[in-house]
Amino acid sequence: MKKYFGIIFLLTSSLLLAKENFNNMGEIHSKILSNRGKEQFRKNIIFKKFERSGYSNSNQYLEYIGEIENKYDNDLSEYDVKTKGFMMGTNSNLISNPNTYIGVGFGYLKSKVDYHNEDGKIRTYGIDYYIGQNIDNWLFIGKAGYSESKNSYEDYRYRTKDYSLGVEGGYMYSLGEKSIVYPYLAFDWNQYTMKAHNDIKDNEDRVGSGAIGITYAQELGEKFLLTTSGEWNYDFSERKEIKINDGSKIKGLEVGRETGVFNIKLGYYVDPDFLVSLGYSSFLNKNYYYDMFTFTLSHNF
């Protein structure tokens, strides 16, 4: 009898451990990297509007992302999370087709999670591909992306993946020669996959979402560039419960379906083709918020 109680205790402990340490940091990482990559893709189009697109209409960038402050809760307790990482990529306007843009962005984010005196590390690698078309100042953007996160705890580890597709459309209004306003609508599809670990099975969840946003850019004299943007995202469906090996389900981390994003960045042209920028980004959901700073080197070639 003691043997059976021991087995039941081990299985229950394993399940509770998996349940309590379940997190969606990889998903949040993916959203941050995708947002930063799309911001840089739009900026390449703005560079052309401001006649700073370089000889080959190409832009390369490297961006450091560091956390200022965050709050991240699950339905049981509060995590203590520290996050940092980087982005890099290239975006080009095709010389043979001056109204077409292509780009790729790669990013890495790492979070250290402290929960019930157990340290965990979540490392995420993400890549996004972009294509855009400017038709009489109507801008249309398509995106395909993939990210993979490794969740490492003392006694176990597991992986999560995010496959994404997205479209965006808006109109670029020129307010004189040195300022642009770009309101837009966007729609995204994501497949979130969590690989089996402890007593949890492989899980998949497909979520559609929509966003409305606005970007503003202005050159201040010959040396400064101010860019700012705001976006509101809404998931069209609730997230599924998590499947475990005995056929039952457990509630995952509750995440609000609405997320607000705000970015502001001030850049200084060291020379006409090289921009150094310092920025602030905020991601706000009812279950988490992230305030982050960015330091970006951008070269038009």
Side-chain angles (χ1 to χ4, degrees):
M1 182 65 70
K2 290 182 179 180
K3 177 181 178 181
Y4 292 116
F5 277 124
I7 294 173
I8 293 172
F9 174 77
L10 289 173
L11 290 174
T12 304
S13 299
S14 175
L15 176 58
L16 289 175
L17 180 65
K19 182 179 178 180
E20 291 184 353
N21 283 316
F22 168 73
N23 68 81
N24 69 335
M25 283 303 307
E27 177 183 332
I28 296 172
H29 286 175
S30 178
K31 291 181 182 296
I32 292 173
L33 295 177
S34 180
N35 178 269
R36 298 305 313 137
K38 194 181 287 187
E39 283 281 307
Q40 290 293 149
F41 186 72
R42 296 190 194 107
K43 184 175 284 187
N44 187 58
I45 300 169
I46 291 170
F47 282 140
K48 185 180 179 182
K49 284 282 188 180
F50 290 161
E51 298 182 350
R52 291 185 181 268
S53 54
Y55 296 108
S56 66
N57 295 332
S58 180
N59 170 262
Q60 295 80 41
Y61 66 90
L62 176 65
E63 179 171 285
Y64 175 80
I65 304 171
E67 178 185 303
I68 299 174
E69 186 179 13
N70 79 79
K71 183 179 181 182
Y72 178 64
D73 297 327
N74 73 353
D75 56 351
L76 299 174
S77 179
E78 182 174 332
Y79 287 87
D80 181 24
V81 182
K82 295 178 175 63
T83 302
K84 59 183 178 181
F86 71 91
M87 284 285 300
M88 61 187 299
T90 181
N91 301 299
S92 298
N93 175 217
L94 301 182
I95 296 177
S96 60
N97 191 341
N99 293 319
T100 301
Y101 299 82
I102 59 173
V104 59
F106 171 80
Y108 167 77
L109 284 176
K110 178 176 73 173
S111 290
K112 182 179 179 182
V113 178
D114 183 12
Y115 178 72
H116 282 185
N117 297 318
E118 181 181 11
D119 289 338
K121 295 180 180 179
I122 296 89
R123 299 179 176 90
T124 301
Y125 300 87
I127 186 167
D128 289 298
Y129 298 93
Y130 302 96
I131 183 168
Q133 186 77 23
N134 181 5
I135 304 174
D136 296 329
N137 289 324
W138 287 97
L139 181 61
F140 301 95
I141 297 174
K143 187 206 80 166
Y146 170 79
S147 67
E148 181 170 329
S149 301
K150 182 179 180 181
N151 296 258
S152 301
Y153 292 92
E154 182 178 348
D155 298 321
Y156 69 97
R157 62 186 58 185
Y158 66 96
R159 295 180 183 271
T160 59
K161 300 179 180 182
D162 176 14
Y163 305 87
S164 63
L165 295 171
V167 293
E168 175 183 307
Y171 188 83
M172 291 183 291
Y173 296 91
S174 295
L175 306 179
E177 295 182 358
K178 295 294 185 177
S179 59
I180 289 175
V181 175
Y182 169 62
Y184 60 88
L185 291 172
F187 297 93
D188 288 275
W189 173 88
N190 292 78
Q191 176 177 301
Y192 301 111
T193 301
M194 180 171 60
K195 306 303 290 183
H197 60 283
N198 285 3
D199 204 34
I200 293 179
K201 300 173 65 174
D202 285 346
N203 281 259
E204 288 186 353
D205 198 1
R206 298 175 177 86
V207 179
S209 62
I212 183 171
I214 188 169
T215 294
Y216 175 77
Q218 181 176 0
E219 284 196 332
L220 307 173
E222 294 296 321
K223 284 293 186 178
F224 291 94
L225 173 65
L226 174 68
T227 56
T228 183
S229 66
E231 186 175 289
W232 175 77
N233 296 272
Y234 181 75
D235 289 345
F236 297 140
S237 61
E238 297 281 358
R239 299 300 296 274
K240 293 180 180 178
E241 294 180 311
I242 300 168
K243 297 178 292 185
I244 60 177
N245 287 329
D246 65 3
S248 60
K249 298 179 180 180
I250 59 175
K251 184 179 180 181
L253 177 66
E254 182 181 352
V255 177
R257 294 165 65 179
E258 301 176 69
T259 303
V261 184
F262 174 76
N263 298 292
I264 187 168
K265 183 175 288 188
L266 182 63
Y268 176 79
Y269 289 104
V270 177
D271 65 43
D273 294 330
F274 188 68
L275 182 70
V276 178
S277 303
L278 185 64
Y280 165 82
S281 296
S282 181
F283 295 78
L284 180 63
N285 185 284
K286 75 173 186 178
N287 288 83
Y288 63 83
Y289 71 81
Y290 277 87
D291 292 338
M292 315 186 80
F293 74 91
T294 59
F295 177 75
T296 311
L297 305 177
S298 178
H299 177 245
N300 295 321
F301 177 73

